[in-house]
């Protein structure tokens, strides 16, 4: 049986079935998963369920919703006026979303290739690839020892590197950066703005392959950084940015078409019911005292008696 969050399903489901999972009277089908995926923006769907863990998480979430819906129907919560109204509103929102997706995908033909070439030719200086570096580093953390002890360890490792021990081997043995230690502390094509400032400043201050930084302090601990390769910034060729630029222009064109269409709907004549709107304001417009903003009351004139007022 398929495992979901460590729990076996009650039955084995044939591999050719359209039902993917069952639990507690609820079942999830391929069609339901397809419908759920349609709620995710198209550009984010690729790789969304690229692992067994993600599939388990998705099916667990969908099964839980279905199980709760089964229990709600047993209590006839789906027969109340409140639920009927909320279901109608939900259907309208879903239809509006479907219409937006339709407009987005059915926008008029657009020659993105020609406009991309024109955009590049008009402003090539806007398409610059910033400088980047390949670096290796050793991290000694300060969350499990004192800063002084961490700095001392980093300084000793730097001395060993200066005497000829490869930083890659030192990183594999001693670095406490779980993301890079197994790779010899390597980070490739690091652009500006991708690392904490102290690390970035030290990395980009070096230019020569094999150059070693001093001990660098960051919120993570103390680092020793080795320059592997420095790539200076340069003008990007049209071939390098063509696909990305065309995709951006096409996305912008479709979004503009969607906006123009919705603006047309917004600008249609509006008929309103004045008495209904007044009743709405009276019903929902008064802020409860406990939610009212803390605004000082206006100053009031002292009351006077009839005699004092000349009455």
């Amino acid at each position: 049986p398929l495992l979901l969050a460590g729990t076996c399903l009650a039955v084995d489901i044939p591999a050719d079935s359209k039902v993917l999972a069952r639990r507690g009277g609820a079942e999830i089908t391929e069609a339901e998963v397809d419908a759920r995926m349609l709620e995710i923006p198209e550009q984010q769907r690729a790789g969304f369920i690229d692992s067994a863990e993600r599939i388990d998480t998705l099916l667990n979430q969908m099964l839980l919703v279905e199980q709760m819906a089964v229990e709600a129907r047993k209590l006839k919560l789906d027969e109340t006026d409140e639920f009927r109204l909320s279901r109608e509103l939900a259907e309208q929102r879903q239809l509006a979303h479907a219409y937006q997706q339709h407009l987005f995908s059915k926008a008029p033909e657009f020659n993105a290739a020609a406009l991309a070439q024109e955009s590049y030719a008009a402003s090539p200086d806007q398409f610059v690839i910033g400088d980047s570096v390949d670096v290796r580093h050793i991290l000694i953390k300060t969350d499990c020892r004192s800063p002084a002890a961490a700095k001392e360890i980093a300084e000793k490792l730097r001395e060993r590197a200066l005497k000829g021990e490869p930083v890659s081997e030192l990183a594999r043995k001693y670095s406490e950066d779980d993301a890079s230690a197994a790779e010899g502390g390597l980070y490739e094509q690091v652009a500006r703005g991708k690392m904490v400032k102290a690390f970035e400043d030290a990395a980009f201050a070096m230019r020569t392959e094999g150059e070693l930084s001093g001990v660098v302090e960051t919120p993570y601990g103390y680092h020793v950084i080795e320059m592997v390769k420095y790539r200076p910034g340069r003008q990007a060729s049209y071939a390098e940015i063509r696909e990305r630029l065309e995709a951006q222009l096409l996305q912008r064109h479709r979004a503009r078409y969607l906006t123009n269409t919705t603006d047309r709907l917004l600008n249609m004549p509006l008929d309103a019911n004045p008495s209904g709107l007044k009743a709405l304001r009276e019903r929902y417009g008064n802020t409860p005292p406990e939610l009212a903003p803390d605004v000082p009351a206006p100053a009031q004139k002292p009351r006077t008696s009839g005699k004092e007022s000349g009455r």
Side-chain angles (χ1 to χ4, degrees):
L2 179 66
L3 286 175
L4 290 181
T7 303
C8 287
L9 297 179
V11 294
D12 286 327
I13 298 173
D16 59 351
S17 173
K18 296 298 183 181
V19 175
L20 298 175
R22 293 192 184 102
R23 185 175 65 203
E27 65 179 33
I28 299 299
T29 66
E30 287 185 21
E32 287 173 315
V33 172
D34 288 340
R36 173 69 181 87
M37 294 303 292
L38 288 175
E39 295 177 350
I40 301 168
E42 185 176 356
Q43 61 272 24
Q44 297 177 17
R45 287 177 207 156
F48 186 80
I49 49 175
D50 57 355
S51 67
E53 291 77 14
R54 279 197 159 188
I55 293 174
D56 275 2
T57 299
L58 177 65
L59 292 180
N60 259 307
Q61 291 172 344
M62 294 182 69
L63 278 169
L64 179 59
V65 170
E66 182 69 24
Q67 286 176 275
M68 293 174 74
V70 168
E71 297 302 317
R73 290 189 184 96
K74 289 178 183 177
L75 298 172
K76 299 187 182 301
L77 298 181
D78 57 329
E79 297 178 10
T80 63
D81 290 340
E82 291 85 354
F83 179 79
R84 178 179 56 80
L85 289 171
S86 66
R87 180 167 53 192
E88 290 175 0
L89 289 173
E91 182 179 353
Q92 289 176 5
R93 284 193 291 268
Q94 288 176 326
L95 283 170
H97 178 71
Y99 182 58
Q100 286 180 321
Q101 294 294 98
H102 170 79
L103 289 174
F104 198 79
S105 62
K106 300 297 181 182
E109 289 294 324
F110 175 70
N111 192 343
L115 186 57
Q117 202 158 10
E118 290 175 12
S119 299
Y120 181 84
S123 304
D125 55 330
Q126 292 185 13
F127 306 98
V128 174
I129 298 174
D131 50 351
S132 66
V133 292
D134 295 351
V135 293
R136 293 187 186 276
H137 86 125
I138 305 165
L139 168 64
I140 304 300
K141 292 182 177 179
T142 51
D143 59 358
C144 53
R145 60 178 64 84
S146 70
K151 185 177 183 181
E152 183 180 358
I153 295 170
E155 286 174 341
K156 288 180 178 178
L157 290 170
R158 182 176 183 272
E159 290 173 6
R160 290 171 60 174
L162 288 171
K163 291 176 181 178
E165 288 191 59
V167 171
S168 58
E169 293 304 316
L170 292 172
R172 288 188 181 94
K173 290 179 182 177
Y174 302 109
S175 180
E176 295 170 338
D177 178 9
D178 295 335
S180 70
E183 302 299 324
L186 181 64
Y187 281 109
E188 295 180 294
Q189 299 189 30
V190 178
R192 291 185 184 274
K194 298 297 183 182
M195 297 288 190
V196 293
K197 188 176 186 304
F199 188 102
E200 179 182 294
D201 288 347
F204 281 92
M206 299 183 288
R207 293 288 185 273
T208 308
E209 182 178 341
E211 188 175 351
L212 209 61
S213 74
V215 172
V216 179
E217 182 182 5
T218 74
Y220 301 101
Y222 288 91
H223 309 252
V224 178
I225 308 169
E226 180 188 41
M227 171 59 66
V228 176
K229 185 175 183 179
Y230 172 74
R231 298 180 184 82
R234 60 182 177 80
Q235 172 71 52
S237 68
Y238 178 67
E240 287 176 299
I241 56 92
R242 180 182 62 81
E243 287 187 13
R244 177 171 56 87
L245 183 55
E246 287 182 11
Q248 289 175 348
L249 291 170
L250 182 58
Q251 188 89 350
R252 209 174 296 164
H253 165 71
R254 289 173 170 172
R256 189 162 48 244
Y257 177 71
L258 173 60
T259 300
N260 291 341
T261 304
T262 52
D263 283 349
R264 177 176 57 80
L265 297 176
L266 282 169
N267 290 325
M268 288 181 174
L270 174 67
D271 291 327
N273 179 341
S275 61
L277 295 177
K278 180 182 177 184
L280 194 66
R281 286 195 298 272
E282 291 172 352
R283 187 157 67 249
Y284 298 111
N286 294 326
T287 305
E290 64 274 12
L291 298 179
D294 187 14
V295 179
Q300 295 182 348
K301 294 181 180 180
R303 294 185 177 182
T304 57
S305 66
K307 183 177 179 181
E308 290 169 333
S309 63
R311 290 178 185 172

